[in-house]
Amino acid sequence: MKLKTVDDTREFGRRLAGVLRAGDLVLLTGPLGAGKTALVQGIGAGLGVQGPITSPTFVIARVHRGPLPLVHADAYRLGDRPDPRAEIDDLDLDASADDAVTVVEWGTGLVEQLNDEYLQVRMDRLDDDTRVIDLVPHGGDWAHRLETM
């Protein structure tokens, strides 16, 4: 799927929020500037969470309260650590996993163990700033849910 603007990326996030439920894990992959945080902003808007959503790069994880809470984590700064999986474990993301939607940027190879069923969102940005998004369901009923979008 191609999204021409950042606003289109946010709107896609709002639509994606419509199929999300408590306990879901969404893993975002893609280069810097691909629109990962913009997508999470749309997801947050669709979930009705409170407060602004900004990149959690320097705080690693934020919890946004709402009817369905959103845990937004960013593992970008953990990649250069001797044991980044231990750092992820220290965040205790699984403590809120059953009650919230957990979205992790840069978490490939680090957070998949949080849930056997997860959605990977692969993102890229073309030279004309168009975002390309590919949804890759892993287990569960993800494929069926995505058909309803």
Side-chain angles (χ1 to χ4, degrees), residues 8-24:
D8 291 341
T9 303
R10 287 187 187 104
E11 180 54 36
F12 178 76
R14 281 186 198 91
R15 288 197 334 260
L16 181 58
V19 302
L20 298 176
R21 55 187 178 223
D24 282 346

Side-chain angles (χ1 to χ4, degrees), residues 21-39:
R21 55 187 178 223
D24 282 346
L25 173 63
V26 180
L27 179 61
L28 306 183
T29 62
L32 289 170
K36 294 180 290 296
T37 299
L39 181 71

